Amino acid sequence: MKALVLQGIKDLAVQEYDVPEIKPDEVLIHTAYAGICGTDKALYAGLPGSASAVPPIVLGHENSGVVAKVGDAVTNVKVGDRVTVDPNIYCGQCKYCRTSRPELCEHLDAVGVTRDGGFEEYFTAPAKVVYQVPDNVSLKAAAVVEPISCAMHGVDLLTTHPYQKALVLGDGFEGQLFAQILKARGIHEVTLAGRSDEKLANNREHFGVKTINTTKEEIPADAFDIVVEAVGLPQTQEQCLAAAAKGAQVLMFGVGNPDAKFSVNTYDVFKKQLTIQGAFINPYTFEDSIALLASGKVDPLPLFSHELAFNEVEDFVSGKLGKVSKAVVKVGGEEA
Ligand SMILES: NC(=O)c1ccc[n+]([C@@H]2O[C@H](COP(=O)([O-])OP(=O)(O)OC[C@H]3O[C@@H](n4cnc5c(N)ncnc54)[C@H](O)[C@@H]3O)[C@@H](O)[C@H]2O)c1
Ligand SMILES: [Zn+2]
Ligand SMILES: [Zn+2]
């Protein structure tokens, strides 16, 4: 079978691999699609994602496919099932795993990061991270349950109410998903702020959100009860604190440069009684994300812009591809 292998820093090549063997508690998946995101850019450049990737490794932490084989101990899926995989495999033994915060696990393993993922025709995963995809959800949409689940986890960390006004700063794939999820969770007024007229118009049309193009318009100060930062720059982090109303919750979702700092007026934090909340990956959110796809309350397909072959992935991870709203790698396609 064909596998797109990260052989070293900034070194990707298509190789002929054997179909992997499974352990008794594992599932072999015939890959349909694999989503591709900024984490893959970091791993390609030799930087860590949620964990470090040690080459040679097959990336592809966002994925979907059809079950080709199951180990003897597997009870939750069978051959032929359409599935998607939560890449994060928690140890179950550390302090964080045993206090309902597995995302902070001390020994995190991840499909497509620390073990081979979806950029190959067949990959394996432990059954405990494999989820069935309902018939009315395409495998292309199912390939992005992981990024939907990261945004879901961020929202889970907030207290949401219908009266709130929400701002999402950042019109990348995650910011656009946040806008839909906040609406699905009952927030009546959601504003998406970003820099692309095209993406903002797409979100107004498809999802009925308000928009602000930050290159032309100011974000209102002290105006939003929920503020989601989905860029990861000091400048946008500071904009988010300025936009926060009294009593607001500010979700710091964007991943900053490890050395970057933003400045906070601590008097503002006191006077506005702000909650500043971080968010890391996607524990316990796959079921909810799949349900939102099945109900149609979240639809990622209008946000997709590129469908790549293995030999085009390097153009994406090296930044050569230009404007990308969301790219997926078509491995086997809808029939896998
Ligand atoms: N916390 C988590 O678990 C988690 C999970 C996934 C992604 N992330 C992070 O969330 C952020 C967004 O992810 P993404 O996949 O949407 O990335 P992306 O690259 O698709 O989107 C980033 C967006 O920010 C916009 N942007 C850049 N500078 C801006 C500015 N000054 N003002 C307004 N918008 C600006 C860009 O135009 C782009 O649309 C990234 O930092 C990513 O690493 C965090
Ligand atoms: Zn990702
Ligand atoms: Zn653990």
Side-chain angles (χ1 to χ4, degrees), residues 90-98 102 104-108:
Y90 307 116
C91 81
Q93 297 178 27
C94 71
K95 175 177 94 176
Y96 297 102
C97 281
R98 302 209 290 189
L104 304 177
C105 178
E106 301 275 18
H107 311 285
L108 188 66

Side-chain angles (χ1 to χ4, degrees), residues 57-329:
I57 187 96
V58 176
L59 304 182
H61 62 278
E62 306 175 3
N63 51 58
S64 65
V66 176
V67 174
K69 207 189 252 186
V70 296
D72 290 343
V74 174
T75 56
N76 61 334
V77 289
K78 57 183 190 314
V79 172
D81 283 352
R82 301 158 75 252
V83 295
T84 181
V85 171
D86 180 349
N88 299 303
I89 306 166
Y90 307 116
C91 81
Q93 297 178 27
C94 71
K95 175 177 94 176
Y96 297 102
C97 281
R98 302 209 290 189
T99 51
S100 301
R101 297 166 296 165
E103 69 275 27
L104 304 177
C105 178
E106 301 275 18
H107 311 285
L108 188 66
D109 258 333
V111 175
V113 183
T114 63
R115 58 184 274 162
D116 289 350
F119 293 176
E120 57 182 356
E121 289 175 274
Y122 289 87
F123 72 104
T124 68
K128 68 176 180 180
V129 298
V130 179
Y131 290 78
Q132 296 214 20
V133 173
D135 289 346
N136 70 339
V137 175
S138 67
L139 287 173
K140 194 167 169 182
V144 295
V145 172
E146 190 270 350
I148 296 170
S149 296
C150 288
M152 281 294 289
H153 171 58
V155 176
D156 276 349
L157 292 168
L158 307 173
T159 304
T160 56
H161 294 283
Y163 78 80
Q164 291 162 332
K165 289 186 181 178
L167 171 75
V168 180
L169 179 52
D171 55 0
F173 189 58
E174 289 288 356
Q176 298 179 80
L177 290 172
F178 265 107
Q180 292 187 45
I181 292 168
L182 287 165
K183 287 206 84 173
R185 295 283 284 254
I187 305 286
H188 78 289
E189 193 182 298
V190 177
T191 302
L192 178 66
R195 303 189 302 180
S196 157
D197 276 335
E198 205 181 324
K199 283 198 255 180
L200 295 173
N202 193 29
N203 280 273
R204 277 197 308 274
E205 275 162 36
H206 277 99
F207 309 113
V209 298
K210 296 185 156 201
T211 60
I212 296 175
N213 186 326
T214 58
T215 64
K216 308 174 196 170
E217 299 159 83
E218 291 289 323
I219 299 174
D222 307 325
F224 299 94
D225 309 296
I226 299 264
V227 184
V228 176
E229 201 287 336
V231 180
L233 295 172
Q235 170 202 345
T236 46
Q237 289 158 341
E238 289 164 17
Q239 281 176 302
C240 282
L241 293 174
K246 286 196 285 182
Q249 303 163 72
V250 181
L251 185 73
M252 291 295 177
F253 184 83
V255 180
N257 178 310
D259 303 321
K261 293 184 168 63
F262 66 89
S263 71
V264 189
N265 179 322
T266 53
Y267 184 78
D268 256 5
V269 176
F270 153 69
K271 192 72 196 301
K272 294 206 263 184
Q273 190 170 279
L274 297 182
T275 303
I276 300 172
Q277 172 70 55
F280 184 66
I281 62 174
N282 58 306
Y284 307 127
T285 43
F286 257 57
E287 292 282 0
D288 282 337
S289 301
I290 292 169
L292 285 178
L293 287 177
S295 69
K297 287 186 176 156
V298 168
D299 183 5
L301 295 179
L303 313 180
F304 283 33
S305 57
H306 290 71
E307 198 169 293
L308 307 177
F310 281 158
N311 63 4
E312 295 169 309
V313 170
E314 191 144 20
D315 286 344
F316 174 86
V317 290
S318 63
K320 272 190 217 134
L321 211 55
K323 280 189 186 168
V324 178
S325 174
K326 181 63 182 177
V328 289
V329 181

